[in-house]
Amino acid sequence: MQLISIFAGIFAFLALPLSFDQRIYLLVLFSALPVSLKLYLDNSNLRRKEDEFTTFLRDLTLNIRTGMSITKAIEVTAKGNYRALRRDLESLMKNLHLGMPVERAFEIFGKEQKTGNIKRSVSVISIASRSGGRIGEVLSLLTSELLRVRANRAEMEASLHVYTASLYVIYFTFLGIVILSLTKLLPAMASADIKVDLPYYTQLLFRSSMIIAVFSGLIAGKMGHGSIYKGSIHALVMSLICFISFFVLQF
């Protein structure tokens, strides 16, 4: 996919009637798009894993309360609809079926994860299981805490979406002013015998708009999703709209 994007960028660079800055942008866009999408999807997958792990612990706690052993409860719970965690749970069950102790199987499960919440939760489960504590009560407390964290995070993200939308509105307002300046103000100044280097100002405003688009997108991702990786998608969207706007102005 990376090579296809690069070749598409090279084709656009050579074939389309673009300025030098626009050609460079297309090369960067097609080169960065696969990487940005991968980072975005990987980050989204980690979030889904965290949510599914919380649900898994909740269901596991309920099964243990029915009187199942910890191993049997894990086996029954792992059959649930956990898409992001499917392979990890299958690996966990495989280790348990091979006779591995629960705490050791969870330790291996935790080492394969990339999110802090899951690693910390698995560490608590392993310690509780190894010490012979009442695993059901530990899981219940742990699940309650994870559910609280998830609810707080969802509430915070919902409130921050307003700021993300505000950044889009601010950027589009800026871009609208830039376009009006290039289509109305500067031509009017030129017609009034005021010396105006329109190509120079077009290039200057294009570069300025691109820089603002990239950083506004990154800030939007950080504020709205807590991740600069997701901000890369916002940056690509804003910069692409900027590119299309200036491309249309050529005709």
Side-chain angles (χ1 to χ4, degrees):
M1 184 176 179
Q2 181 80 30
L3 289 176
I4 294 175
S5 296
I6 293 175
F7 282 126
I10 294 174
F11 173 78
F13 184 93
L14 298 174
L16 296 178
L18 304 172
S19 67
F20 178 76
D21 286 349
Q22 290 172 330
R23 293 175 189 272
I24 293 298
Y25 166 73
L26 281 183
L27 281 177
V28 174
L29 172 67
F30 284 108
S31 299
L33 184 60
V35 177
S36 297
L37 285 176
K38 185 178 185 305
L39 290 173
Y40 179 85
L41 293 175
D42 288 347
N43 188 266
S44 298
N45 187 57
L46 291 179
R47 292 293 296 273
R48 284 195 298 271
K49 278 191 173 185
E50 283 192 353
D51 291 340
E52 288 186 3
F53 184 73
T54 301
T55 304
F56 171 77
L57 288 185
R58 182 194 63 193
D59 296 342
L60 178 62
T61 303
L62 294 175
N63 286 329
I64 290 176
R65 286 177 177 174
T66 63
M68 295 183 187
S69 65
I70 179 66
T71 303
K72 181 63 177 178
I74 293 173
E75 181 179 355
V76 172
T77 308
K79 294 179 181 179
N81 186 24
Y82 306 105
R83 295 182 180 179
L85 279 176
R86 174 55 52 198
R87 291 184 179 179
D88 301 287
L89 292 177
E90 288 176 352
S91 177
L92 175 65
M93 289 308 307
K94 181 180 179 180
N95 290 332
L96 290 175
H97 288 156
L98 291 174
M100 186 178 294
V102 173
E103 59 272 15
R104 179 56 183 162
F106 266 113
E107 286 175 359
I108 295 175
F109 174 86
K111 289 180 180 178
E112 295 173 349
Q113 306 306 312
K114 297 180 180 180
T115 64
N117 283 341
I118 295 181
K119 286 181 177 292
R120 287 189 292 270
S121 300
V122 168
S123 177
V124 171
I125 295 171
S126 298
I127 293 173
S129 178
R130 187 181 294 110
S131 62
R134 302 180 66 176
I135 190 68
E137 293 183 2
V138 173
L139 286 174
S140 180
L141 292 173
L142 184 59
T143 302
S144 298
E145 180 63 20
L146 290 177
L147 288 172
R148 184 186 64 80
V149 170
R150 184 168 69 178
N152 290 341
R153 184 176 63 189
E155 182 180 352
M156 181 184 67
E157 288 183 352
S159 63
L160 290 177
H161 283 328
V162 177
Y163 297 101
T164 302
S166 298
L167 283 170
Y168 271 91
V169 172
I170 292 171
Y171 178 71
F172 290 148
T173 301
F174 167 79
L175 189 59
I177 294 173
V178 168
I179 292 173
L180 286 175
S181 298
L182 291 173
T183 57
K184 302 294 183 181
L185 178 61
L186 294 179
M189 293 173 62
S191 63
D193 294 331
I194 299 175
K195 187 177 180 180
V196 176
D197 189 349
L198 191 58
Y200 168 77
Y201 284 108
T202 300
Q203 182 186 60
L204 178 65
L205 291 174
F206 175 75
R207 292 177 178 178
S208 302
S209 300
M210 276 295 174
I211 292 172
I212 294 174
V214 171
F215 283 99
S216 295
L218 295 177
I219 293 171
K222 187 63 177 178
M223 292 181 63
H225 306 284
S227 170
I228 199 170
Y229 299 126
K230 290 191 175 182
S232 63
I233 296 298
H234 292 293
L236 288 175
V237 170
M238 289 185 178
S239 62
L240 183 59
I241 292 173
C242 174
F243 170 81
I244 293 173
S245 300
F246 276 82
F247 181 74
V248 171
L249 285 178
Q250 296 179 186
F251 302 99

